[in-house]
Amino acid sequence: MGYPAGLYRKAQRILEQRRDTAFTDAELRSEEIKSEIPEIEEIQRQLSKIGLETSQLFFYKGNTDEKIASLRQQSKSLIEKRGEILKKHGYSEDAMQPQHICSVCEDRGFIGGRMCNCNRQLLKDIMKEEIRKLAPIDECTFDTFNLEYYSPEPLENAIVPRERAAKILESTRRYAQNFSPSAKNLLLLGKTGLGKTHLSLAIANVVINKGYYVCYGTSQNICDDLQSEQFGRGEEAYYSKQQVLGCDLLILDDLGTEIDSQYSIATLYNIINSRILSNKPTIISTNCELSELLRKYDQRITSRITGEYTKMTIFGNDIRNI
């Protein structure tokens, strides 16, 4: 879907702040330098005079090319002289110019109508910051997923928790690396504290870095906000229907913890069904066993989860207690 308009607006506000800061700092720095080096102040006065003369020539009729070329050469010589003086006093040649964070686009975010890489990175950073308010995305990477927390001993069902966790780790890593807007849906099952959220956020990290829009939230928070939006209280909501249904990847965490109501059931059905119909991938994590989900939700939801999601079950003990 690309990024939502609100994300672009946030990026533009940050870019504007960067430009304002660069120009303000340059002005303050210039005043200090002119105060310290009177010769620089005279050069600046001459440059301003040349600039005014050049601009006035554009309004004159007749051939002014030679005069403009002469003024530009004078300006170039003065700038070179200024640079030499600044270096002599321990400053860089461009010390009086705005120091932009991105020298390529000068913090405009675009070059010739095309988005600059700094703007693309800023959008990714903002998206991660939004998730960071809700979950520790920076700590949750594939490299920090520690298999040592999972027992190497087989369970009664002959499943070895560490081996299962290793397979799921590798599967989710490949999923993130090969992600596309038509990727498959994932259902991460397992008891509390087994790393489901960690893996979901690890996927989010990679997918965001690939330039896709990721929406992360618990089923409770998303259901609450979509209800607020429906009843005209959307200005206080963090999530919107357009965002949840339209994002490139939705991560719906802690399914089963939302308030059990007809509205929540209807909302979850709409989210799951709409994203399946539009072929947009969703990752659901839940502490419930599959049998619990079948009891908790009606057949409209469970049939879509069991039929359209790749199930991955993690076994073991709560790693947060280890």
Side-chain angles (χ1 to χ4, degrees):
M1 68 169 285
Y3 300 123
L7 204 64
Y8 286 114
R9 287 195 294 271
K10 286 183 180 180
Q12 283 306 305
R13 284 197 295 270
I14 292 173
L15 289 169
E16 289 170 5
Q17 290 170 357
R18 288 178 178 178
R19 282 178 59 78
D20 288 345
T21 299
F23 281 105
T24 300
D25 289 350
E27 190 173 326
L28 292 172
R29 202 163 48 248
S30 295
E31 291 302 317
E32 291 176 2
I33 289 172
K34 286 188 291 184
S35 176
E36 178 185 344
I37 314 171
E39 192 175 357
I40 291 292
E41 185 170 14
E42 174 59 23
I43 290 175
Q44 291 300 106
R45 189 189 65 77
Q46 293 180 45
L47 286 171
S48 296
K49 182 180 178 182
I50 289 172
L52 179 59
E53 290 181 24
T54 302
S55 63
Q56 289 174 339
L57 285 173
F58 287 108
F59 296 97
Y60 292 162
K61 294 182 180 179
N63 189 351
T64 59
D65 292 350
E66 186 176 340
K67 179 62 175 176
I68 290 175
S70 174
L71 289 171
R72 285 176 174 169
Q73 183 57 47
Q74 292 178 48
S75 177
K76 181 180 178 183
S77 298
L78 285 169
I79 290 172
E80 289 176 353
K81 183 179 179 180
R82 182 183 67 189
E84 292 172 1
I85 295 172
L86 287 170
K87 287 175 65 177
K88 182 180 177 181
H89 285 79
Y91 294 98
S92 64
E93 292 183 22
D94 62 350
M96 300 179 72
Q97 302 302 311
Q99 304 298 306
H100 297 287
I101 291 177
C102 179
S103 59
V104 178
C105 71
E106 296 184 341
D107 296 333
R108 291 183 176 87
F110 291 87
I111 312 168
R114 299 184 64 182
M115 186 179 289
C116 182
N117 286 336
C118 75
N119 199 353
R120 298 182 193 280
Q121 184 59 50
L122 183 55
L123 289 164
K124 297 173 186 177
D125 292 342
I126 293 172
M127 200 185 322
K128 286 189 179 181
E129 179 59 33
E130 293 296 312
I131 296 177
R132 195 174 290 125
K133 296 174 183 176
L134 308 168
I137 187 170
D138 300 306
E139 303 168 17
C140 297
T141 68
F142 291 113
D143 291 338
T144 59
F145 190 83
N146 191 350
L147 293 171
E148 295 300 315
Y149 288 131
Y150 300 86
S151 173
E153 301 300 323
L155 302 174
E156 293 180 359
N157 56 9
I159 291 175
V160 179
R162 185 174 297 176
E163 291 179 1
R164 173 62 65 88
K167 288 180 181 178
I168 293 176
L169 172 62
E170 185 56 32
S171 294
T172 50
R173 192 197 300 270
R174 286 199 307 270
Y175 178 90
Q177 291 171 342
N178 300 323
F179 182 84
S180 73
S182 59
K184 62 188 178 181
N185 303 304
L186 300 182
L187 175 63
L188 299 178
L189 298 146
K191 296 177 181 178
T192 302
L194 290 182
K196 301 182 297 300
T197 296
H198 186 125
L199 290 173
S200 297
L201 292 172
I203 292 171
N205 263 308
V206 174
V207 174
I208 288 171
N209 287 337
K210 290 167 74 72
Y212 293 107
Y213 178 46
V214 177
C215 177
Y216 167 89
T218 65
S219 59
Q220 177 66 61
N221 290 340
I222 289 176
C223 284
D224 285 348
D225 279 6
L226 295 195
Q227 183 175 14
S228 295
E229 183 182 36
Q230 180 172 337
F231 291 102
R233 302 189 300 272
E235 67 278 356
E236 300 177 1
Y238 184 85
Y239 303 96
S240 68
K241 182 177 179 180
Q242 181 183 15
Q243 173 189 10
V244 171
L245 298 186
C247 60
D248 295 313
L249 174 64
L250 172 65
I251 298 178
L252 192 63
D253 206 6
D254 282 338
L255 179 69
T257 60
E258 70 283 346
I259 296 174
D260 191 1
S261 68
Q262 286 301 112
Y263 180 81
S264 294
I265 298 295
T267 300
L268 288 171
Y269 170 75
N270 184 44
I271 293 171
I272 293 168
N273 189 57
S274 295
R275 291 187 62 83
I276 288 172
L277 292 177
S278 59
N279 199 32
K280 290 182 178 294
T282 303
I283 297 175
I284 294 177
S285 73
T286 179
N287 300 330
C288 301
E289 294 182 4
L290 190 57
S291 58
E292 293 180 71
L293 295 179
L294 294 174
R295 290 195 301 269
K296 182 177 180 64
Y297 300 107
D298 63 32
Q299 199 262 344
R300 295 184 308 161
I301 292 179
T302 56
S303 64
R304 282 157 179 77
I305 291 178
T306 56
E308 301 288 344
Y309 282 68
T310 298
K311 293 173 282 298
M312 298 180 177
T313 304
I314 307 176
F315 293 88
N317 299 314
D318 190 336
I319 61 177
R320 292 174 296 191
N321 296 328
I322 297 177

